Amino acid sequence: MNPTSQPAVRRTQGDRRAESDRRILGAAMRLIARNGAAGTTLADIGVAAGYSRGLPSERFGTKGALLDSLISRTEEAFQEQLAIDVGGKTGLAAVAARIEAHLNGAARSPDAVRALYLLYMESLTVAPELHGHIAELGRAYRAGFVRHLREARQAGEIDARIDVQDHATVILGALRGMITLWLIDPAAIDLPAAKAVLVAMVHRGLAPPHASGQRKQPARPLRDAPKRRRARSARA
């Protein structure tokens, strides 16, 4: 025996279970990204992970429970990266960092994002048991943008009249729309360019009046339009 060799480390049952869970969820992600949840069975996942057809059922109980765990695992990975990307930033810098985190995450882990977006849609149809979890994710993402927009408003970085709730909804909606377009036709969508455009639009659209050297004029209510048309008709 080589005296310098290290003894093999014996893995505990907990280690083996964690490894099998990781492989099962990884296989589920890949299959769902390709076939959707409706086209993926627990038996398919077990075989793809290198285990028996029955292990996913034994481990997670139901398909819904496995899918719920997959969503949680995917979200944990995103939040870990988000914490790194946002770091100590606040205000508009943090808003931009959040936008970049969502789009960079899609480019970095396309299978995971494709699987998650398919689950978004299937939670409205064939997998309604996931709907609450999916809706909770959306609320949490909006809350993050709301928090940083409030910081930006306090710091005078954005117009004080801005409704941060509404703007957070629009930003998140833009992100989800861009990612959906990219998933459907990745060759046609330049994510880095789209990311730069969205960040620039947020900065310009939320800027306080003094930022451009002139006060923004409020839009004229649409209900005035018929009155103007009637006035022109009368003159004619």
Side-chain angles (χ1 to χ4, degrees), residues 22-65:
R22 184 187 65 78
R23 288 173 57 180
I24 288 171
L25 291 176
M29 177 196 71
R30 293 188 297 274
L31 288 174
I32 292 168
R34 188 172 68 221
N35 305 321
T40 301
T41 67
L42 290 176
D44 293 335
I45 294 169
V47 172
Y51 299 112
S52 70
R53 295 165 61 87
L55 184 61
S57 293
E58 178 186 325
R59 188 61 51 80
F60 293 93
T62 66
K63 183 177 175 180

Side-chain angles (χ1 to χ4, degrees), residues 36-120:
T40 301
T41 67
L42 290 176
D44 293 335
I45 294 169
V47 172
Y51 299 112
S52 70
R53 295 165 61 87
L55 184 61
S57 293
E58 178 186 325
R59 188 61 51 80
F60 293 93
T62 66
K63 183 177 175 180
L66 186 150
L67 296 177
D68 200 60
S69 294
L70 176 60
I71 293 169
S72 294
R73 186 69 60 90
T74 303
E75 178 62 11
E76 286 169 11
F78 173 71
Q79 289 296 331
E80 288 173 4
Q81 186 60 49
L82 178 64
I84 295 170
D85 292 345
V86 174
K89 300 181 183 74
T90 60
L92 281 181
V95 170
R98 278 185 173 272
I99 290 172
E100 292 176 2
H102 280 274
L103 297 177
N104 289 346
R108 187 166 46 241
S109 306
D111 279 353
V113 171
R114 183 178 181 83
L116 185 60
Y117 271 61
L118 286 171
L119 291 176
Y120 284 172

Side-chain angles (χ1 to χ4, degrees), residues 200-219:
M201 287 175 64
V202 168
H203 277 266
R204 287 197 303 268
L206 301 184
H210 60 74
S212 60
Q214 59 184 3
R215 182 170 296 278
K216 294 180 182 178
Q217 296 298 319

